[in-house]
Amino acid sequence: MRSLLAAAAGLLLSLPDHAQDVNCTIYPAGTSCRLACDLYQSPAREATAQGSARSQQYFDEMLALCPTFAPAWREKAVPYLKRGEFGTWKRLIDHAVQLQPAQHLGYRGWCRFEFLHDYAGAQADLTRLMALTRSNPGFSANGDYDLRIVLALCKREQGDPTGALAVFDQCIAANEAQQRVGLYDYLHRGVTRLRQGDNAGALLDLQRQQQQIKRLADTEYYLGLVYQKQKKTALARQRFVLAKTLFQQGHYRHNDYCETLDKVYLVDIQTALSSLK
Amino acid sequence: MPAPYLRNLMNPNFSIEQKLVLRALALGAVFFCFSTVLALAQRAAPPSNPAASVGDIAFDPATDRSSFQRCGEGQYDVPQYYQSQTAYTGGTQALRQQFVRAAMPRSTGAQNGYVTIRFLINCHGETDRFRVTQIDAAYQPARFGPALVAALLGRAKALRAWVPGKFTGPDAHHGEALDSYYYLLLKISHGRVVDVLP
């Protein structure tokens, strides 16, 4: 049984995390950078487990062939990020950013926001990226966020809710016009407005969030808080009870790597419920 | 018996010029062999440590408990927390109570940055092999106050509510407990712990 478990675990753990795709035809055939790129895209390299010795050796081989091949710097850095060696991660990802700032600043900024709560560092990266991309910085590595929303959250977490709301408003308005508002954009702006005492604004956003994702404990919890502030106890209780049910059914925001901003815990909901008179 | 080129070098019938040419050829051959071996050695030993995956923690008798046992020693590579759903009961919120809300010494060294405590959680939820790294806000190596670092490490070692990682594959072993790696990232601002991740 143990050996079966070991084999099964080995299979699971040998599955590679997918690296960023690269178009190798941008490098002239026969050049060392083309060879490095072909090695990066090779099935043998892609089959290696992220962070394994062999995987890291592949990136070293690519960088020996072509030290300016930014994707290798970036992917070599990834396991250090995920495993808490942030000094090494930063040293490696800085090479990628230095070589291709427009391609990698957004990723570095997102990681500083997500994994380290380095809001000042993330804001600096995203602000620089905004200037490079005419205010179209793209999306977070996990696809959940327009990076302008991340920039807004960085401002909020550094004590600038007014600046944060300005960025939220600009981003959400632009994305509404293209019918591509992000999964949690209304939620975060609603929470920010709630913190600022703008209960009416928060209510509007959280109701919009209900349309984005129909069943989400986080939305119901914050709606409950708005109603509680508005002294609408019955409505607040209704939202908190629903939030608790949804949470217990598994309908809440979760990230395998890190706690998400504005995350709601079951104990928060229970505390809110018990606080109602 | 000497090698042929050495026998030729020792042959008294060669002129001085012939001996010099042969000596140069011999030295060239030795240099070629040496550089080839060196190049092969460099190819065989790239900068990454070929013995371990990133973040692996080997047993150190100076700091680690010999009584701490991995459940899957020799059977599988230790997964990371995010691959095996390793967690602390109550999540990051509960950890925040332990590290941010609790009284901690103020750093007498570096003032801003991060202390990372990485460790191993076995399939029973027991912990060991703690390793500490410290960086400043610019991600450069740093040293926070020893009293703060010791308090953080002590608090990490005292945590008892770990939910061990589990096998998440689709077969009959789904849900079986695994050893896994975890880390705690303590964010320090103005000498105080202000946040904990992941």
Side-chain angles (χ1 to χ4, degrees):
Chain A
M1 196 279 283
R2 274 282 179 199
S3 60
L4 275 175
L5 175 62
L11 176 66
L12 167 74
L13 302 178
S14 66
L15 292 175
D17 293 24
H18 189 69
Q20 182 195 32
D21 281 328
V22 178
N23 175 13
C24 291
T25 60
I26 62 172
Y27 301 102
T31 62
S32 56
C33 288
R34 177 62 173 269
L35 291 173
C37 191
D38 288 342
L39 186 57
Y40 178 95
Q41 296 285 54
S42 68
R45 201 283 303 167
E46 289 181 345
T48 56
Q50 188 178 72
S52 66
R54 185 67 192 107
S55 174
Q56 296 301 95
Q57 284 166 4
Y58 269 122
F59 296 123
D60 290 336
E61 289 168 23
M62 291 170 214
L63 293 169
L65 283 166
C66 180
T68 58
F69 184 55
W73 287 111
R74 170 174 162 151
E75 295 304 327
K76 184 180 176 183
V78 170
Y80 293 100
L81 173 81
K82 292 183 177 179
R83 299 171 194 196
E85 292 188 32
F86 297 106
T88 306
W89 169 73
K90 181 67 164 43
R91 183 172 56 77
L92 294 169
I93 195 66
D94 284 356
H95 284 286
V97 170
Q98 190 173 14
L99 290 163
Q100 294 179 322
Q103 285 90 336
H104 302 292
L105 267 170
Y107 173 71
R108 188 175 73 180
W110 163 253
C111 292
R112 294 169 90 167
F113 167 83
E114 173 88 339
F115 282 84
L116 291 124
H117 287 186
D118 174 10
Y119 301 117
Q123 181 173 331
D125 279 351
L126 298 178
T127 301
R128 188 176 154 209
L129 183 61
M130 292 276 280
L132 289 173
T133 59
R134 297 181 183 175
S135 299
N136 282 298
F139 290 84
S140 61
N142 65 0
D144 283 354
Y145 292 104
D146 186 310
L147 287 171
R148 289 172 291 184
I149 297 294
V150 177
L151 178 60
L153 290 168
C154 287
K155 286 175 180 280
R156 187 189 83 180
E157 293 303 307
Q158 291 179 93
D160 179 16
T162 307
L165 284 168
V167 178
F168 272 126
D169 291 348
Q170 185 272 331
C171 177
I172 290 174
N175 285 341
E176 278 174 340
Q178 297 180 54
Q179 295 184 319
R180 56 169 209 183
V181 176
L183 276 177
Y184 308 115
D185 297 0
Y186 291 126
L187 177 78
H188 290 302
R189 188 172 66 176
V191 172
T192 308
R193 285 175 162 173
L194 177 65
R195 288 188 190 179
Q196 287 302 99
D198 176 9
N199 294 332
L203 185 64
L204 274 176
D205 270 339
L206 294 168
Q207 286 170 337
R208 289 178 184 126
Q209 182 63 42
Q210 284 179 311
Q211 301 308 309
Q212 285 289 98
I213 302 175
K214 304 284 183 200
R215 293 161 59 79
L216 188 64
D218 310 54
T219 313
E220 304 305 326
Y221 167 75
Y222 286 113
L223 265 174
L225 290 185
V226 173
Y227 287 132
Q228 193 174 17
K229 284 198 167 188
Q230 292 177 330
K231 312 290 186 197
K232 296 175 179 173
T233 307
L235 284 173
R237 187 185 310 280
Q238 201 178 56
R239 292 299 116 194
F240 290 146
V241 168
L242 180 56
K244 186 177 175 184
T245 303
L246 289 173
F247 194 99
Q248 289 170 331
Q249 291 173 346
H251 299 293
Y252 57 87
R253 289 187 308 135
H254 173 76
N255 181 322
D256 284 340
Y257 295 105
C258 299
E259 181 191 63
T260 53
L261 218 54
D262 299 333
K263 177 178 171 57
V264 173
Y265 288 88
L266 185 58
V267 69
D268 296 326
I269 302 168
Q270 289 166 332
T271 303
L273 262 172
S274 60
S275 73
L276 293 175
K277 298 278 191 292
Chain B
M1 175 176 275
Y5 75 90
L6 287 178
R7 286 206 302 276
N8 287 337
L9 281 177
M10 290 185 289
N11 189 333
N13 297 325
F14 281 129
S15 67
I16 294 292
E17 291 79 8
Q18 285 174 317
K19 284 182 178 176
L20 284 173
V21 168
L22 283 169
R23 193 171 292 168
L25 285 172
L27 284 172
V30 168
F31 178 76
F32 174 77
C33 289
F34 177 75
S35 58
T36 303
V37 167
L38 189 65
L40 285 172
Q42 285 172 338
R43 285 184 65 185
S48 297
N49 178 359
S53 295
V54 170
D56 278 359
I57 306 175
F59 174 71
D60 180 352
T63 56
D64 303 336
R65 288 186 295 126
S66 57
S67 59
F68 175 80
Q69 295 292 318
R70 267 194 60 195
C71 303
E73 186 76 58
Q75 297 181 60
Y76 55 85
D77 292 338
V78 180
Q80 311 301 318
Y81 72 95
Y82 54 84
Q83 295 169 313
S84 53
Q85 300 178 358
T86 312
Y88 192 73
T89 304
T92 303
Q93 190 179 57
L95 292 168
R96 208 167 274 124
Q97 295 285 344
Q98 296 284 335
F99 290 94
V100 182
R101 308 244 152 75
M104 284 280 174
R106 190 166 187 157
S107 177
T108 52
Q111 292 295 295
N112 299 299
Y114 299 90
V115 174
T116 307
I117 303 173
R118 186 171 162 83
F119 51 95
L120 190 54
I121 303 173
N122 72 12
C123 71
H124 304 300
E126 300 160 344
T127 56
D128 199 53
R129 301 196 193 176
F130 290 85
R131 302 290 185 268
V132 178
T133 53
Q134 304 171 56
I135 54 172
D136 63 19
Y139 299 79
Q140 297 300 308
R143 293 180 77 85
F144 293 92
L148 172 63
V149 175
L152 294 173
L153 182 58
R155 190 62 61 93
K157 287 183 174 180
L159 294 171
R160 290 287 177 272
W162 291 105
V163 179
K166 54 180 180 268
F167 178 60
T168 55
D171 69 5
H173 301 289
H174 180 89
E176 287 192 21
L178 295 171
D179 307 325
S180 58
Y181 285 116
Y182 202 90
Y183 72 81
L184 293 167
L185 179 70
L186 293 316
K187 183 177 178 181
I188 315 290
S189 179
H190 302 294
R192 296 197 184 283
V193 181
V194 296
D195 207 352
V196 58
L197 282 159

